[in-house]
Amino acid sequence: MASAISHLGRVLSRLKTAEIVKVSKCISQSRLFHLQNANRAVMKVDMPSLSPTMSEGSIIKWHKKEGDMVAPGDDLCDIQTDKAMVTLDTDEEGILAKIIIPENTTDIKVGTLIAVMVEEGDDWQNVQVPTDAVPPAPGGDQPVQETAGTPTEPTTTVGPIGPSVRKLMEEYNLFGVSVPGTGPHGRLTKGDILNYIKAKSLSKQTLPVESVQPTEPAVTTSGQAVPPAGPPRPLQDIEGAEFIDFELTSMRKTIAKRLTQSKTTIPHAYISVECNLGAVTKMRNQLKSENVKVSVNDFIIKASAIALQRVPCVNSVWQGDTAQSSPAVDVSVAVATDQGLITPIVKSAAHLPVDEISSTVRELAMKAREGKLQLHEFQGGSFTISNLGMFGISEFTAVINPPQTAIMAVGASRLVVSSEGKPQTNLTVSLSYDSRVIDETEASRFLEVWRDVMENPSFMISGSPKSQLAADFA
């Protein structure tokens, strides 16, 4: 009996040991599986396309730092697009584990990995970043490889150079010599040349001058000989003068691209009209007495919106190869910022009172200058107004903002003598329109309605323009 009990104990001991080993193996395999799949929950944050024309952007500021919790709707970073500065938020929840692209990095291609997030509870400090996500060196420059026993020369190419740089390179015979460029995108500056000359202790090269002897001396009509022309005078030395290279922002590049596209693909036509601002000035003073402050530009926007309702072909945009009348009157207002011109939109302007248009424009302009416009606040629009009157510009013509078909340029008001011999304040506006969509008659009708509304501002509140021509479009 004792032997049987002893045998049973040994069997149970073996079973217990085997079970422990089995459990231990399971734990080890579980740990290995967890380590191998630790980055399964990694969430990539790529450079987004924040506008239809955006191909690259710049990260201005990160609002979160590595290790911070991120909830849906939280602001991650400020991105300078080709049109404005936009704050990027996220729909994900987790921890910002790694910032791949730091602040103040420019020309980041759309789709580039800029950060990595992990789920809450994961080891964010040891997150593995995909090997293909390592950003290139700033400016695309590759490190210079040195060869043993050979003096190293800078390998930055010259690239485009300015006239002052070219002059120094000619004087010191530096063409064909590699000089490092420290300007934007490796561009060569005058300071780079001067530093290279000083480091190499170079001296100016004497340029050979070929003397040309005339076969016969020139003679004036009076018979006096004209002395032969001597060698060309050397250029004036401007040593020590400073030059500044201006770097184009993404917004400026996009503006240039769109202006070129507009002027080369859209057949622009122009027409102008002059109106009397006396009634608008009187109404502004009346509203001011009621503590309602509005500007002339607010009346211009409202009058334009009413005219767009009356002449809908001017309120049109291109959709592919077809121009379509827009169902909504959304007026884009050009605002100058430090980065360039941007056009926030006063939506449904025809249905807004003048004082609400005023507050909307002020709010949009402030957000534009602070770089806080949202996409829906500057994307779209069916008509644009550009006002340079505050700069003293009497009148000008503007370039159409595609896919729109028209833009109105507003100049400064000025005092003139009326037909009755009395002083009067007049304003000139010019309409640039796409002649494929709008003909001269329709452009004239639009400006006539606009002028009638401006000269009878009560129509902005209670009625339609008095013009019979405008009534045809009511």
Side-chain angles (χ1 to χ4, degrees):
M1 185 67 177
S3 176
I5 292 174
S6 177
H7 176 72
L8 179 61
R10 288 195 296 270
V11 170
L12 290 174
S13 177
R14 291 193 192 100
L15 289 174
K16 186 176 181 181
T17 302
E19 191 67 27
I20 291 173
V21 170
K22 183 178 179 181
V23 171
S24 177
K25 287 183 178 180
C26 288
I27 293 174
S28 299
Q29 290 175 354
S30 176
R31 287 177 177 174
L32 178 62
F33 177 82
H34 178 74
L35 290 174
Q36 290 176 343
N37 295 275
N39 286 330
R40 279 195 173 186
V42 167
M43 293 167 279
K44 295 181 178 180
V45 182
D46 296 333
M47 171 62 75
S49 178
L50 299 174
S51 73
T53 57
M54 178 180 171
S55 60
E56 58 186 25
S58 305
I59 295 180
I60 305 302
K61 178 182 179 182
W62 281 98
H63 294 289
K64 298 286 186 179
K65 61 180 182 293
E66 294 180 357
D68 284 354
M69 280 294 303
V70 178
D74 283 358
D75 294 341
L76 277 182
C77 60
D78 292 334
I79 296 177
Q80 179 68 58
T81 72
D82 56 344
K83 292 187 175 181
M85 189 170 71
V86 179
T87 300
L88 175 66
D89 55 20
T90 178
D91 297 328
E92 303 291 345
E93 183 177 5
I95 300 175
L96 182 60
K98 182 70 174 178
I99 295 176
I100 309 298
I101 307 293
E103 293 181 356
N104 300 317
T105 303
T106 61
D107 302 331
I108 308 167
K109 299 294 183 183
V110 170
T112 302
L113 185 66
I114 62 174
V116 171
M117 292 175 55
V118 297
E119 293 183 353
E120 185 178 1
D122 287 353
D123 184 7
W124 63 269
Q125 293 178 320
N126 297 316
V127 65
Q128 293 183 3
V129 180
T131 56
D132 58 351
V134 179
D141 294 337
Q142 301 298 325
V144 178
Q145 297 181 352
E146 297 185 3
T147 305
T150 305
T152 59
E153 285 286 348
T155 58
T156 303
T157 56
V158 172
I161 58 176
S164 60
V165 176
R166 182 176 296 277
K167 175 178 178 290
L168 282 174
M169 295 184 72
E170 289 176 349
E171 291 177 345
Y172 289 88
N173 194 23
L174 293 179
F175 284 103
V177 178
S178 295
V179 180
T182 61
H185 308 291
R187 185 174 179 177
L188 204 58
T189 66
K190 184 180 179 182
D192 298 330
I193 298 294
L194 293 175
N195 292 334
Y196 187 83
I197 292 170
K198 183 178 180 181
K200 300 293 184 179
S201 301
L202 301 179
S203 58
K204 287 186 179 181
Q205 303 295 316
T206 303
L207 299 178
V209 179
E210 296 183 0
S211 59
V212 180
Q213 297 295 335
T215 54
E216 295 183 3
V219 180
T220 64
T221 54
S222 61
Q224 296 180 351
V226 178
R233 297 177 61 186
L235 296 175
Q236 183 180 1
D237 190 4
I238 51 174
E239 256 340 292
E242 295 184 358
F243 295 88
I244 300 176
D245 295 323
F246 293 99
E247 182 178 5
L248 292 180
T249 63
S250 297
M251 183 185 293
R252 293 300 311 170
K253 292 177 183 177
T254 301
I255 290 173
K257 180 179 179 181
R258 288 175 61 83
L259 288 178
T260 303
Q261 174 195 356
S262 178
K263 289 295 287 185
T264 55
T265 62
I266 299 177
H268 283 60
Y270 309 95
I271 190 171
S272 301
V273 73
E274 189 171 295
C275 75
N276 181 2
L277 291 182
V280 166
T281 302
K282 183 177 179 180
M283 178 166 284
R284 284 185 65 207
N285 292 333
Q286 180 181 345
L287 292 173
K288 186 176 181 180
S289 65
E290 300 172 4
N291 294 324
V292 178
K293 295 182 180 181
V294 292
S295 67
V296 174
N297 195 57
D298 301 326
F299 283 95
I300 292 172
I301 295 172
K302 179 67 175 181
S304 300
I306 294 175
L308 290 170
Q309 284 185 318
R310 301 297 188 270
V311 192
C313 69
V314 181
N315 189 54
S316 57
V317 294
W318 282 95
Q319 300 286 347
D321 296 331
T322 305
Q324 299 177 356
S325 178
S326 176
V329 179
D330 298 332
V331 179
S332 303
V333 181
V335 175
T337 68
D338 293 338
Q339 289 76 32
L341 206 64
I342 191 170
T343 52
I345 304 167
V346 181
K347 296 184 180 293
S348 302
H351 303 293
L352 298 179
V354 178
D355 60 334
E356 190 170 340
I357 289 176
S358 179
S359 60
T360 301
V361 170
R362 283 198 300 270
E363 180 183 355
L364 290 172
M366 181 177 63
K367 293 176 70 174
R369 295 187 179 100
E370 293 176 352
K372 296 182 178 180
L373 283 176
Q374 299 297 315
L375 285 177
H376 68 276
E377 293 176 320
F378 65 89
Q379 291 285 346
S382 56
F383 182 79
T384 298
I385 295 175
S386 179
N387 191 340
L388 296 181
M390 67 286 296
F391 299 108
I393 305 300
S394 57
E395 58 181 290
F396 68 104
T397 56
V399 181
I400 297 172
N401 182 23
Q404 299 174 9
T405 59
I407 181 172
M408 189 165 72
V410 182
S413 59
R414 62 193 183 281
L415 281 175
V416 298
V417 179
S418 67
S419 56
E420 291 82 13
K422 298 180 179 179
Q424 123 181 347
T425 304
N426 279 11
L427 175 72
T428 300
V429 300
S430 299
L431 182 72
S432 305
Y433 60 94
D434 188 337
S435 58
R436 296 171 298 179
V437 184
I438 307 166
D439 61 27
E440 296 87 345
T441 303
E442 292 163 330
S444 300
R445 289 172 179 169
F446 170 82
L447 287 183
E448 183 180 10
V449 176
W450 179 85
R451 182 186 60 196
D452 286 345
V453 176
M454 287 294 292
E455 293 184 348
N456 299 274
S458 58
F459 292 137
M460 301 187 193
I461 302 173
S462 60
S464 300
K466 64 181 180 179
S467 164
Q468 183 59 43
L469 191 59
D472 293 340
F473 287 87

